[in-house]
Amino acid sequence: MQRTRFLMIGGFLGAGKTTALARLAHSYTEAGLRVGLVTNDQAHGLVDTFALKAQGFQVGEVAGACFCCQFNELVDALGSLSVDQQPDVVLTEPVGSCTDLLATVIEPLRHLHGDRYELGPLTVLCKPEHGQRILGKSMLAADQGQTERGQTERGRTEQGRRGGFSPQAAYIFTKQLEEAQLICLNKVDKLSESERDELLGQLRYQFPGKRLLALSSLTGEGYEQLVHALAETPSPSQIALTIDYDTYAQGEAELGWLNATVELTACDSKTPPTSWDLDACLQQLANGLRDSLLQSRLEPGHVKLLVSSGSHVAMAHWVASHEPVEFSLRSEAHVTDAQLLINARVAGDPDVLTQIVQQLLASWARSCQLVCTISHLEHLRPGRPVPVHRWGGEGTVSG
């Protein structure tokens, strides 16, 4: 049986994974290949899944925990993509706070299902803001002669604290890059030439021997090279990543997670009801959420909002405290009812995050003259990762 090419595109929260997957999926489709996608989240109601499906792609979803803890569910999701016609390529997007993927996903898939899947390189996207905040401090430590491993790690994690993320969350970010078989500095269109050169230099210095690309999903820069790199088959990993699961668990647990589904209707009783500007109302909500989170000193990993009404879809996102809200899709529509999805990942208390979202939704709905009904809301701190498998040089070990 012809094997499906399995590609995993990881990276920390806000690294641009979903946009990169969509661009890659279009590229493969234009080349005549059948493409499937699988998304992953700690909770249900994922904006990414809806957005990719809206672009016409076949999408599976693994919700409730990361791929490593839901390995069997991942295999089932991959199998469901082959019901009608086997994909040539499957693109998968792990949870942004997940690492140790070679040992807990890639290698188990190779050994247990290698007859069905051909594995490409584990690819990790690096968000410039995180690189500047977390890697920069480590470079400074090295320049001052602090070259011992513990001192370098302290330099990295201190910068993580200054950037709004805990030392433990910064630890996850660096471990993602450490295990990557291909590192992509993403969103380079936002960088000056000197900033780009500096970050690429930091990545080369701290992760020597790694293949490194510069990407822009906005302009398409680097995607031809990326497609070529993803066609290569890396050597199987013989040694699992050295990782402290206590620190890893603490890093995940210090992130606040919220997914909400909200039904929106015009609040008058006219027949037909008064329509409202979908894009303008979403812009107001996104800006309000940004302001509220900044006032509460909650650093964003990523905040995504999607409003849909029939075929009309608008999307907005916010991924860095000093950046404005950006629209990835506008509907140019006036509607009478819609559904809103909110996915928010922040460095902070999920209870505080939930209170902010609920209060903001109430005031926003009044100002836009909408009836706002929350039909689903999950907020959480991710639990300790317990992989189904962890593959090392001599075999598989239960989590």
Side-chain angles (χ1 to χ4, degrees):
M1 181 177 68
Q2 180 182 351
R3 293 189 297 171
T4 295
R5 184 79 171 168
F6 177 93
L7 300 172
M8 183 173 288
I9 312 295
F12 203 67
L13 299 165
K17 297 184 294 295
T18 307
T19 305
L21 256 67
R23 191 170 190 114
L24 280 170
H26 282 293
S27 176
Y28 287 128
T29 300
E30 290 168 1
L33 299 177
R34 297 183 297 272
V35 180
L37 299 100
V38 180
T39 58
N40 182 210
D41 196 48
Q42 301 281 6
H44 297 79
L46 193 58
V47 166
D48 296 343
T49 302
F50 188 102
L52 291 168
K53 284 183 176 179
Q55 296 180 59
F57 296 118
Q58 185 182 193
V59 185
E61 181 178 288
V62 176
C66 51
F67 282 148
C68 64
C69 303
Q70 300 267 62
F71 181 83
N72 295 328
E73 288 77 4
L74 169 61
V75 172
D76 290 343
L78 292 170
S80 70
L81 299 175
S82 300
V83 172
D84 295 326
Q85 196 171 38
Q86 180 182 348
D88 298 300
V89 179
V90 171
L91 297 163
T92 61
E93 177 189 356
V95 172
S97 58
C98 190
T99 189
D100 201 25
L101 293 167
L102 279 176
T104 62
V105 180
I106 300 291
E107 290 305 315
L109 196 63
R110 183 194 309 279
H111 289 275
L112 301 176
H113 302 282
D115 59 328
R116 297 178 60 188
Y117 300 104
E118 176 186 82
L119 305 176
L122 172 61
T123 303
V124 173
L125 306 185
C126 176
K127 177 180 173 180
E129 293 87 352
H130 291 153
Q132 290 165 334
R133 292 174 177 180
I134 298 171
L135 299 181
K137 186 68 175 182
S138 183
M139 284 290 287
L140 178 61
D143 288 343
Q144 294 172 343
Q146 299 173 343
T147 56
E148 294 184 7
R149 180 178 179 83
Q151 292 171 316
T152 300
E153 289 296 332
R154 281 197 297 274
R156 287 173 177 162
T157 55
E158 285 168 8
Q159 182 65 10
R161 183 182 296 110
R162 284 176 51 194
F165 288 98
S166 72
Q168 292 78 18
Y171 178 81
I172 295 172
F173 170 80
T174 55
K175 284 297 176 180
Q176 289 177 342
L177 296 173
E178 183 181 328
E179 75 164 337
Q181 294 168 314
L182 173 63
I183 296 176
C184 297
L185 178 61
N186 199 21
K187 306 183 181 182
V188 294
D189 54 279
K190 294 185 174 183
L191 300 173
S192 67
E193 185 175 350
S194 61
E195 288 172 331
R196 178 195 297 215
D197 290 343
E198 181 180 359
L199 270 174
L200 290 173
Q202 289 174 355
L203 288 166
R204 290 190 186 96
Y205 178 82
Q206 297 189 46
F207 306 100
K210 301 284 186 183
R211 182 158 186 181
L212 182 60
L213 295 177
L215 292 183
S216 169
S217 296
L218 179 64
T219 67
E221 179 182 350
Y223 269 83
E224 184 176 350
Q225 294 92 328
L226 176 60
V227 169
H228 286 302
L230 293 177
E232 298 176 3
T233 300
S235 300
S237 177
Q238 299 299 317
I239 301 174
L241 181 71
T242 301
I243 185 167
D244 182 340
Y245 260 72
D246 289 334
T247 303
Y248 178 12
Q250 291 169 17
E252 287 217 288
E254 291 178 4
L255 297 170
W257 224 266
L258 179 143
N259 283 9
T261 304
V262 184
E263 309 302 327
L264 304 171
T265 58
C267 65
D268 57 50
S269 57
K270 296 179 181 178
T271 304
T274 303
S275 63
W276 43 280
D277 188 325
L278 193 153
D279 294 337
C281 288
L282 178 59
Q283 182 81 66
Q284 181 180 336
L285 175 63
N287 287 338
L289 184 54
R290 178 186 185 274
D291 293 343
S292 296
L293 292 175
L294 286 176
Q295 290 169 8
S296 299
R297 302 180 67 83
L298 296 180
E299 177 76 16
H302 76 233
V303 177
K304 299 182 180 182
L305 302 98
L306 182 149
V307 183
S308 62
S309 179
S311 61
H312 304 297
V313 180
M315 290 179 58
H317 62 273
W318 179 50
V319 296
S321 56
H322 63 281
E323 294 285 338
V325 169
E326 295 183 4
F327 263 72
S328 50
L329 185 64
R330 293 185 182 272
S331 68
E332 307 293 343
H334 283 70
V335 301
T336 57
D337 57 77
Q339 184 181 78
L340 166 69
L341 298 180
I342 302 174
N343 293 169
R345 319 286 181 252
V346 303
D349 189 335
D351 291 328
V352 173
L353 173 62
T354 299
Q355 184 178 20
I356 290 171
V357 169
Q358 290 176 326
Q359 291 177 348
L360 180 63
L361 282 173
S363 61
W364 169 75
R366 286 193 299 270
S367 67
C368 291
Q369 297 185 321
L370 299 174
V371 175
C372 171
T373 305
I374 299 175
S375 58
H376 170 79
L377 191 147
E378 292 180 80
H379 67 286
L380 55 91
R381 292 186 186 275
R384 182 184 181 87
V386 183
V388 177
H389 306 285
R390 190 165 193 267
W391 207 279
E394 300 184 1
T396 184
V397 181
S398 60

